[in-house]
Amino acid sequence: MRLGVLDVGSNTVHLLVVDAHRGAHPTPMHDDRSVLRLAEHVGEDGKLSKAGEKTLLNAVLRAKQQAAEQRCDELLAFVTSAIREADNGAAVLRRVREQTGVDLQVLTGEDEARLTFLAVRRWFGWSAGRLLVLDIGGGSLELATGIDEDPDVALSVPLGAGRMTRRFLPDAETGGRPDLRALAALEEHAADVLAPVGEKLRAAGEPDLVAATSKTFRTLARLAGAAPSGAGLRAPRGMTATGLTQVRGFVSRIEATALAELQGVSAQRAHQVPAGAVVAQAAMRAVDVTSVRICPWALREGVILRRMDQLEGA
């Protein structure tokens, strides 16, 4: 079966097409993404602007056409924090559905955490034991832990790299160097938000394996010396707390325009790396871990795996 997954996030609209059948892992056949930064189109009134809605509409139309060209049997489309938090999000999704025929489903933060956990569990397998997963998105940070495929605890907090950049580091957004006092304020804010989250996760049990996923964690790990993307999905990658501290110190003292020129750093997201480093460090401290394994599978793969499970059950 050929499945298409359309992920409308705070930063990007991402279409992933895979071939999947019972007993086999999903095989990627097509991958396309466009940077929309929808969260930046949400004004002070809490509404997605007309310009933001238009870019979303065009991106969905393009993805629908590509899915048809790829002969997808089904297109699974969903939105995360940027649209679900917009005051006019429901109305925007209704108009997108009417004009494109694509029904974008709204995932809650807990949904994101659970589906990402499923993907990471399938990637590492049962030998991972009790698993703890950290996932930094553009708008939110998801955390989950458990011994099975469905986590015992799944949480989401508004600490996404894009959101924190807009709130604390406007200089980085324009290509400049982040303000060190603002970084310290962000660190304090993240620690306060994560204090009760860390307590819940630690109370669930000590993890046997701690995994991190998302573009932000992959970028930080690459800057800390992890294998490049060219080494393939299965190349082992990880990051220590010490390595993350060194990366944070580096990205805190360099302009975003210069950071964007480094290998492994996306030019479109370079300005979010300092905030992402602070949030990653706060998350690792909150759950009291000294290292993480990087998992290439995340939310999109979780959506695919859940759908395949449903089809097999039927």
Side-chain angles (χ1 to χ4, degrees):
M1 185 176 191
R2 178 159 289 190
L3 292 175
V5 176
L6 179 59
D7 175 1
V8 178
S10 297
N11 285 313
T12 61
V13 173
H14 189 163
L15 174 67
L16 175 65
V17 176
V18 302
D19 281 345
H21 61 272
R22 185 172 184 175
H25 70 283
T27 304
M29 302 302 294
H30 178 78
D31 193 317
D32 181 77
R33 72 194 72 193
S34 51
V35 178
L36 300 190
R37 294 183 185 171
L38 285 177
E40 296 179 11
H41 289 280
V42 178
E44 294 183 0
D45 60 356
K47 295 182 178 180
L48 183 70
S49 67
K50 289 295 183 181
E53 182 175 340
K54 183 177 181 180
T55 59
L56 172 61
L57 177 65
N58 290 335
V60 172
L61 283 171
R62 180 168 177 263
K64 181 181 179 181
Q65 180 180 355
Q66 289 189 1
E69 292 172 353
Q70 292 293 319
R71 300 180 183 275
C72 288
D73 298 295
E74 189 174 355
L75 179 62
L76 310 171
F78 61 89
V79 298
T80 55
S81 63
I83 301 298
R84 73 170 175 250
E85 294 175 8
D87 290 344
N88 60 340
V92 168
L93 295 181
R94 184 181 66 251
R95 289 191 289 270
V96 169
R97 182 173 62 250
E98 291 170 350
Q99 297 180 56
T100 68
V102 177
D103 187 11
L104 290 165
Q105 298 296 308
V106 179
L107 293 184
T108 67
E110 183 178 327
D111 290 336
E112 289 187 61
R114 290 187 177 280
L115 288 166
T116 300
F117 184 89
L118 171 63
V120 178
R121 167 61 74 193
R122 294 279 178 92
W123 179 267
F124 286 113
W126 295 115
S127 63
R130 174 167 287 277
L131 183 63
L132 172 60
V133 177
L134 312 176
D135 177 12
I136 301 175
S140 58
L141 162 69
E142 277 69 50
L143 310 94
T145 187
I147 195 72
D148 298 318
E149 290 199 330
D150 191 44
D152 303 326
V153 181
L155 303 166
S156 177
V157 290
L159 289 175
R163 185 195 297 268
M164 294 299 96
T165 299
R166 290 188 298 275
R167 177 172 173 181
F168 289 93
L169 305 172
D171 290 343
E173 284 193 292
T174 58
R177 183 180 302 179
D179 182 270
L180 295 181
R181 288 173 298 181
L183 281 172
L186 168 55
E187 181 176 19
E188 183 177 355
H189 171 71
D192 288 343
V193 172
L194 286 166
V197 171
E199 288 182 9
K200 290 181 181 179
L201 291 166
R202 292 194 305 271
E206 184 176 352
D208 298 298
L209 187 148
V210 183
T213 186
S214 74
K215 180 66 174 177
T216 295
F217 265 114
R218 291 197 301 272
T219 298
L220 294 171
R222 180 70 185 98
L223 290 173
S229 58
L233 286 182
R234 292 176 177 78
R237 295 175 175 88
M239 180 172 61
T240 65
T242 300
L244 177 57
T245 298
Q246 293 172 341
V247 168
R248 175 184 164 177
F250 170 68
V251 301
S252 299
R253 291 167 173 79
I254 184 174
E255 289 79 8
T257 51
L259 185 58
E261 297 177 2
L262 300 180
Q263 289 187 353
V265 179
S266 165
Q268 293 85 0
R269 296 195 187 192
H271 64 291
Q272 297 181 10
V273 173
V278 172
V279 172
Q281 192 173 51
M284 290 178 66
R285 286 173 175 169
V287 294
D288 194 25
V289 298
T290 57
S291 65
V292 295
R293 295 271 301 277
I294 303 300
C295 179
W297 280 7
L299 178 59
R300 286 176 291 276
E301 287 78 12
V303 170
I304 291 167
L305 293 166
R306 178 61 55 80
R307 181 58 179 150
M308 292 304 298
D309 288 349
Q310 292 170 346
L311 292 172
E312 289 176 13

